[in-house]
Each structure stands twice: as structure tokens, then as C-alpha cells.
Amino acid sequence: MQPFLKLLLGILFAAIIAFAAYRAKSLSRSGALGALLEGSIIFGLGGWQWAVLLMAFFVSSSVLTRLFGKKKASLNEKFDKGGQRDIGQVLANGGVASIFAGLHFFYPGAAWPWVAFSASLAAVNADTWATELGVLNPTLPRLITTGKPVERGTSGGVSVYGTLAAAGGAAFIALLALLCTPSLNFIVLEPSFVLFFFFLLLSGLLGALFDSLLGATVQAIYRCPHCNKETEKHPLHTCGTQTVQIRGWKWLNNDLVNLFCATMGAIIGILV
Ligand SMILES: [Zn+2]
């Protein structure tokens, strides 16, 4: 297909998806704009294989956000944002992947953009699945650094369900990445598809682990003096009260942590 026509179709496809997600209240208005931008690059400069992986991440995380709504309703306020993803979240999760889809356009014969793209999406998908399903763990999560039990939804808390969900999220992307591997210079990887799968699984798990590690140590965490609860929300809590920072670096919010998680996945991708 001619590059210009492909880009045009990509933008059109991205616009349809972003609008549908906005109407379904999975994305806020700014989030839809971010999705349009990322979708245009990934669909228009990458191609259908790249689109499949992005859609797998996007649809599965939107569905998981909605599932178990009742059970999560009481816990969700601990998270930085509600079910509607805004542009910060969209760019934090898919921005790194978009860059590699764009790089594929300039290095069409190279395998590394596809590997880094898949590894980055494996990491953010692992992290999202872990966040959405980890709260359902029957026992309290434990802080990744100290092993001390913490409240559900606490940044840096890990659990059995969360870890299994992270592995599932990474495996889901890894499997699709294998099935969709474009016919690039993949002769190098052909005899070791299983290795590619496990490598993406590892990238995803390490990315999610890195996310938890930052959450437990340097991510900015706040407290609501009214509800007396720990939260990622700032400046205002869900109740409308101004939150006070209790630990972490002020500039390191949840979006940046997710961005680092996505970058970590891609870096591991390129290294291997
Ligand atoms: Zn409050």
C-alpha cells in the first residue's frame, strides 16, 4: 500500500476508535485526542500488526477497568484517576510504543522497532492487568520493598493475584506479537519463537515490577486529611479536599511512573 494512503487510512481508523472509546466513556476528551495521535502513528506508520497489539492492550485494559466494578468501587478512589483515561495516561502507556512504530517507518527492514514496541506494550499491559486484577486478591498486598502488608491499591503493593495478572497481561501481548510478527528481517528470530515469547513475558514482568518498585519508593504519594487515606490523587482528593504529600518525589506522578514502565520494557527489548 502507498505510504500516504496507509497513513490516511490509519488516521481514519484511529479517529473511529478514539471516538468510540470516548462515547463509551473509556477515554476523556483529552484522552481521545491522545489516542487519535497514538493510533494515527501506530496504524498509519506501523500497520495492521502494530494495530492488533495496541488494540489488544487498549480493549483488554478498558474491559478489565469495568469488570468487578462493584468490588473495586470502594478501592478505586485510591487510584490517581477513575475509569476514564485522560491524555496523560494514554501517552504514558502508549507513547513509547508509538515512537517505535514511527521508527519502523524510517527503518522498515529492522526488527528492533517491532521488538521494542511489543516489549513496551507487554510492560504496560502487565502493569494495567496487575492493577485492575490485583485489588481482587483475597489477602492484603505487601509492599514490594519491605514485605509489610499495606492497604489495597497502595502504590508499590504486590500480591499473588497481581503478579499472576501481570504475567497473564504480558503473555497475552507476547502471544499476539508472535502471531503478528511482520515479515521483517526476522530470520534471526525464526528458530527461536519460543524464546521471543518468553523474552516478551520477561520484559512485561520486569516493567511491571519496576513500576511497583517506583511506587513503593520514589513516586509522589499523598494523604487526604479529611478521609485520612493514602492516595495518588493531587491536588484534590475524590472528596474535594486538598491532599498533602507524604513521601516520594513531587514531580514523579503515576503517569510518569507508567511512562518509565513502558520505557523499561522497550529498553530490555532493545538490549536483548
Ligand atoms: Zn478525601
Side-chain angles (χ1 to χ4, degrees):
M1 199 188 292
Q2 277 189 331
F4 181 70
L5 186 64
K6 185 172 149 186
L7 183 62
L8 217 59
L9 280 175
I11 294 169
L12 185 71
F13 189 50
I16 293 168
I17 303 285
F19 184 68
Y22 170 66
R23 289 299 298 267
K25 294 196 164 34
S26 288
L27 294 172
S28 72
R29 192 173 293 206
S30 77
L33 194 71
L36 172 65
L37 183 72
E38 280 176 11
S40 299
I41 296 171
I42 291 173
F43 305 159
L45 297 181
W48 70 266
Q49 300 93 339
W50 308 66
V52 167
L53 256 63
L54 180 73
M55 291 305 292
F57 160 65
F58 183 65
V59 172
S60 73
S61 51
S62 300
V63 166
L64 285 183
T65 303
R66 275 145 197 260
L67 282 183
F68 317 107
K70 242 185 199 163
K71 192 152 187 193
K72 277 193 280 190
S74 59
L75 310 157
N76 250 346
E77 62 86 30
K78 273 196 87 78
F79 293 105
D80 199 2
K81 284 146 191 167
Q84 275 194 23
R85 289 168 166 83
D86 65 16
I87 193 163
Q89 285 171 300
V90 169
L91 292 183
N93 284 311
V96 175
S98 306
I99 291 172
F100 286 103
L103 284 169
H104 161 70
F105 181 77
F106 295 105
Y107 302 93
W112 59 265
W114 172 249
V115 176
F117 171 84
S118 310
S120 175
L121 279 183
V124 292
N125 203 52
D127 183 50
T128 307
W129 282 31
T131 306
E132 297 297 344
L133 294 173
V135 289
L136 303 172
N137 199 63
T139 58
L140 287 178
R142 287 168 181 278
L143 207 62
I144 191 169
T145 43
T146 60
K148 206 184 84 193
V150 286
E151 268 185 80
R152 269 169 241 274
T154 301
S155 304
V158 289
S159 65
V160 175
Y161 277 32
T163 309
L164 288 177
F172 179 53
I173 293 293
L175 194 67
L176 286 173
L178 276 193
L179 295 174
C180 295
T181 292
S183 45
L184 308 167
N185 288 336
F186 252 79
I187 303 102
V188 206
L189 282 168
E190 231 161 62
S192 48
F193 267 178
V194 182
L195 211 65
F196 182 49
F197 174 84
F198 280 107
F199 149 70
L200 284 179
L201 183 69
L202 190 72
S203 304
L205 273 174
L206 287 179
L209 198 73
F210 185 59
D211 192 284
S212 298
L213 202 61
L214 289 180
T217 54
V218 289
Q219 185 186 341
I221 304 294
Y222 303 86
R223 178 167 281 280
C224 171
H226 180 253
C227 312
N228 199 27
K229 271 188 170 164
E230 209 174 277
T231 176
E232 293 177 342
K233 282 192 186 351
H234 186 72
L236 296 181
H237 192 219
T238 31
C239 65
T241 312
Q242 184 137 21
T243 55
V244 194
Q245 192 189 355
I246 49 168
R247 60 183 164 92
W249 297 333
K250 207 170 184 61
W251 55 271
L252 190 63
N253 63 18
N254 195 46
D255 287 344
L256 278 176
V257 167
N258 284 337
L259 183 69
F260 287 150
C261 164
T263 310
M264 188 71 177
I267 289 175
I268 299 169
I270 292 175
L271 286 182
V272 182

